[in-house]
Amino acid sequence: MLNVQSLTQRTFAQIVVFALLLLNSTLAFAQNQVNGIVTDKTGEPLIGVNVVEKGTTNGVITDFNGQFTLNVAQGKTLVFSYVGYTTQEITVKGSSLKIIMEEDSKTLDEVVVVGYGSMSRKDVTSSITTVKADKLNVGVYSDPGQLLQGKVPGLTVVQSSDPTSGTASISLRGASSLRTGAAMEPYYVIDGIPGMSLSLIAPEDIESIDVLRDASATAIYGSKAANGVILITTKKGSKSEHTSVNYSAYLAFDNIAKRLDMMTADELRTYAKENNITLPNDKGANTNWNDEVLRTAISHNHNVSINGGSEKTQYSASMSYQNKQGIVRGTDFERFGGRAFLQTKALNDRLTLAFNVNAAQSKGTTVDSAKDGQSVFDAMNYYSPLVPVTNADGSWYSDKTISQNFNPVSMINEDTFENNKKLLQGTAKGTLDITKDLKWNLSLSYQDEQYIWNEYHTSKSQYNTRNGEAKRIATENKKKILETYINYDHTFANIHKLGLMAGYSWEQNDDNDSFGLDVYDFYNDNTTFYNLNLANKMDWQNGGITSNNNGHLETLRMISFYGRINYSFNSKYLLQATIRRDGSSAFGKNNRWGTFPSASLAWRMSEEKFIKDLNVFDDLKFRVGYGVSGNSLGFGAYSAIQTYSTSGWFNYTNANGTQNSYHTLAAASNANPDLKWERTAMLNIGLDFSFFGGRLGGTIEYYDKRTSDLIYTYEVSTNRYPFGTMPANVGDISNKGIEFTINATPIQTKNFSWQTSLNLSHNKNNVESISNSEYSVDYIRAADPEIAGYSSNADVQRIMEGHPIGTFYTYEWAGYNNQGVSIFYVHDPETGERTGETTTDPETDRDRTIIGCAQPDLNLGWSNNFQYKNWNLDLFFTGVFGQDIYNATAEQYSNVSFVKEGRNVLKSVATKHRATDTQSQAPSNRWIENGSYFRLSSVSLGYTFGKIGNWINSLKLYATCNNVFTITGYSGRDPEINLGGLEPGMDRRTNYYPRTRSFMIGLNVNF
């Protein structure tokens, strides 16, 4: 029995071995060595095409001749993929294959958002840059401007590390106004609704941002588009019949990137001893005030979104929470946001209805940043390290014998500033398909903004001596918009593509509806700015119910008519023309209407036979456009009319002998019935190109931008007018520039790819005129460095005809005289040249001269994305070259007199300055430095896990560092200085929030 059993087992084993050998030989026989070649439609071989057996990792890439060899079984499927070409799947039915790849036109067919519509990228005739969500900057950001830094040629964005604010400045293609604030910034349109608040949108909810850069693109927005238009599209629902839940979060740590090199207590004592200086306040301490003021800031952000829908109905909703801690103690920001979107079809799918609600609530706390020493950012450097933070009894150390000298830690704790915002916006849209080609669109939008400013100075405040002072100001702004327009799109005979759009817009803004109260003298500080009725005093003259705390309701209305025509002949010759006519109540009664036309042409040369025969270009398009847009941003309802305000008090005794006090009224502004729009005309010439199946492409742009009828407030005679100044349209500014963008995929293999994008821009700004026969000024003073001892005539820039905004105009430092005091070159009053003489007391008008300019020669943004299997690495560089910076911070802290006064100074005072120099901080070219820099702005490393189980569709983890390193010769804290407004290139100390370096870890998970 045992023998039989053993025989049976042995026989079975032999059968199994035989079966395995047979199967192995069958598989070996089935494996087929496939040889092939991959070409484009012209027969040119394609190098680096991925050839992979579907569902496996078995694959190769084509060689320099487009050829490949791969062992794969008959009947299996090969997947061919290549950048710029449509992916193909081929079933193996032999040993030789020839694959012809078809160009992927998705880039050309990419939908670009334009004013009141959208179109294919290939049909665009204007200068428009699109940045998708996955290409936006990553960081602890709350402002769309921060997301775009370095991504758009010609768009200059300067970051701010202040948690309560976002972008320090943003400008497109140069300054084109003599007004500041909104008048210098682009116009924002969110989901087709113009002028909505950016505070409503969380960065995670953005799908894409389109930047309209030239006037032929922006003119459709008429009087608000002179500085460019930024269109933000938020995420909507999907048609996938599947509900998607996404959660994203990050945790970030911020530290100061670079501290000022101030003297320590020991260094200050040594310096005083070596120079026979008596220190008036040496208390034996060794305090590092930067350490007392600064901290490692911890921030976190969370966003949950739901997206889903069907072909008929789509929906989307999200909630976000952001908590940003500032590196300066006492500065924090907290924001809650929510949005909901629903879109559905009705009337047999001919009517599309969409409803959108956005809401946000935020709270920001900050510290004082005023002048005259009342700035924490200033005091953390000037306050003496020789004194302690607190006295022995726990009270704040204070020395009132030194003027404008305040303990920064005391200011953080005893002087509180808080800003609360509530924003609500709702939009209803309807689109009716009248015919297949004709659509009628209607949208209604309402936005309400509420701001409450709270301020409290305790009884322990070192600069406010009113025994506790509280201020509260409540402000409300409302915006109502109606937009209706018709779109007609039809293609005739398959080659004539016609698009028509005509519309009407009505807008009303009720702004600055505010009320405030300022009270003081409390019994204690327990209630801070709450329960104002507990205060004992209210000064009606200086801060109670006055115009300082109460706004004037301003109602502005605008109505507009607009239209656009697009024509394309065989996608080869393209034409676009727009016109908009705006009427606004903001301007003088004689000039309330303005017309803003534009036209642009494009020639897709790549569609010509002689270009196709070259077998070089995938796409080649030449564009030229001209348009006129206006600038009404930043105007109030009272800009052009006569206004009056209170000017004092008088006593009046009535018939009954009762005496009462009444306000006197006086003119506060003059009426100008001829005040009109600033107008910007721009010529734009562009060339778009693409090679190698889309692996190399880019654009070259040239523009000539000229702004006329600039509004500025001029001094006028009070013999002719009731008030001493008048706003008038006088000046002209020009901006000319060239921009270059290159997008490339240098490496594309099976497991590794490198995509890179580089943009360069150069702009030349020039003030053409600022005077005419009626309103005249020789120049406009600008850029007060706010230096101790120079309270008047200290400005270091001038706005002058024939020179750019940001021209430095100051004294020339000539070294020291025999007494060790700074001397300056004397200039001839007629020629402006040096006379060869020097002086310790230069004259304001005689001895100043042009020395440098804050306008950069070149701006750079360079993005790099590396992919290796599931890993991705992003490196983003920015650079600004050729601009000058006035280092007013170093100027202030190089004042050698500070030492004997009881303040601190920079360490460089001991090595670069003379203790005898009583004018060490005098304004001059001594403080102008080259501000060029090249920065690794961010580096981000991520890993995508893909699908995990049945409940996680994708999971990505990433780590990011912002402001990694900077290559620069600038000696100040940071060379990324404000380049917008009328005073670019000024590095001041009082309101400069220290630049940070942040490290963050985050995740994105989709269920």
Side-chain angles (χ1 to χ4, degrees), residues 562-613:
Y562 48 86
R564 177 176 59 224
I565 179 172
N566 293 88
Y567 172 72
S568 169
F569 174 74
N570 205 23
S571 291
K572 185 187 300 184
Y573 308 113
L574 311 170
L575 164 69
Q576 175 179 285
T578 71
I579 189 168
R580 181 169 179 131
R581 184 159 174 80
D582 286 337
S584 172
S585 61
F587 294 97
K589 61 182 181 181
N590 298 333
N591 283 302
R592 287 187 169 169
W593 286 89
T595 303
F596 307 97
S598 78
S600 55
L601 300 168
W603 174 27
R604 290 192 65 210
M605 294 183 287
S606 54
E607 293 300 304
E608 300 287 357
K609 185 178 183 303
F610 70 92
I611 296 293
K612 290 182 178 181
D613 291 342

Side-chain angles (χ1 to χ4, degrees), residues 28-270:
F29 179 77
Q31 287 288 332
N32 183 44
Q33 188 181 71
V34 176
N35 299 304
I37 184 171
V38 183
T39 69
D40 62 15
K41 60 184 180 181
T42 66
E44 288 294 317
L46 295 177
I47 306 167
V49 177
N50 285 312
V51 184
V52 181
E53 181 182 350
K54 188 175 182 178
T56 73
T57 58
N58 179 33
V60 294
I61 62 173
T62 57
D63 61 20
F64 286 96
N65 298 313
Q67 298 176 345
F68 70 93
T69 299
L70 183 66
N71 290 325
V72 62
Q74 292 289 314
K76 296 295 183 179
T77 300
L78 292 181
V79 180
F80 297 81
S81 61
Y82 192 59
V83 175
Y85 290 82
T86 303
T87 299
Q88 295 188 36
E89 296 187 1
I90 304 296
T91 302
V92 177
K93 295 181 179 179
S95 59
S96 180
L97 294 175
K98 182 176 182 180
I99 307 300
I100 300 175
M101 301 287 283
E102 295 291 333
E103 291 183 8
D104 186 356
S105 62
K106 68 179 181 180
T107 300
L108 297 178
D109 293 332
E110 174 190 26
V111 176
V112 177
V113 179
V114 296
Y116 307 103
S118 60
M119 60 178 62
S120 298
R121 171 69 66 182
K122 66 181 179 181
D123 293 331
V124 171
T125 59
S126 305
S127 180
I128 302 176
T129 297
T130 301
V131 184
K132 298 295 184 182
D134 60 342
K135 301 299 182 183
L136 295 171
N137 293 327
V138 177
V140 188
Y141 301 143
S142 58
D143 185 282
Q146 297 172 303
L147 303 176
L148 287 173
Q149 186 184 37
K151 301 295 183 180
V152 180
L155 186 69
T156 303
V157 179
V158 177
Q159 301 275 16
S160 171
S161 295
D162 188 343
T164 62
S165 66
T167 304
S169 69
I170 178 170
S171 61
L172 182 65
R173 292 184 166 180
S176 55
S177 180
L178 294 178
R179 298 176 295 122
T180 57
M184 283 280 196
E185 296 186 355
Y187 188 51
Y188 294 93
V189 179
I190 301 175
D191 289 329
I193 306 300
M196 291 293 102
S197 173
L198 296 178
S199 300
L200 287 163
I201 304 302
E204 296 85 359
D205 291 333
I206 295 176
E207 180 71 30
S208 65
I209 299 178
D210 295 86
V211 182
L212 312 186
R213 295 157 54 205
D214 74 332
S216 66
T218 64
I220 196 65
Y221 287 105
S223 62
K224 300 178 180 179
N227 300 317
V229 179
I230 296 180
L231 308 177
I232 299 174
T233 302
T234 60
K235 296 176 181 177
K236 306 294 191 299
S238 67
K239 301 179 181 180
S240 62
E241 302 285 349
H242 170 73
T243 299
S244 173
V245 179
N246 193 81
Y247 171 70
S248 62
Y250 65 73
L251 177 66
F253 304 88
D254 281 75
N255 283 287
I256 188 170
K258 182 181 179 181
R259 301 187 182 201
L260 288 177
D261 207 5
M262 308 298 292
M263 284 191 183
T264 65
D266 290 339
E267 290 169 335
L268 196 57
R269 293 183 182 104
T270 300

Side-chain angles (χ1 to χ4, degrees), residues 259 262-266 268-269 281-293 379-390 397 407-409 904:
R259 301 187 182 201
M262 308 298 292
M263 284 191 183
T264 65
D266 290 339
L268 196 57
R269 293 183 182 104
N281 58 344
D282 191 350
K283 305 300 180 182
N286 190 0
T287 305
N288 186 318
W289 290 102
N290 274 230
D291 287 346
E292 299 295 333
V293 169
M380 63 184 278
N381 294 307
Y382 76 65
Y383 213 63
S384 176
L386 307 175
V387 302
V389 178
T390 59
Y397 176 84
N407 185 327
V409 181
N904 200 8

Side-chain angles (χ1 to χ4, degrees), residues 278-311:
T278 300
L279 296 171
N281 58 344
D282 191 350
K283 305 300 180 182
N286 190 0
T287 305
N288 186 318
W289 290 102
N290 274 230
D291 287 346
E292 299 295 333
V293 169
L294 302 175
R295 64 186 173 187
T296 296
I298 302 175
S299 304
H300 55 100
N301 184 87
H302 310 268
N303 182 276
V304 179
S305 63
I306 302 173
N307 295 277
S310 61
E311 284 291 333

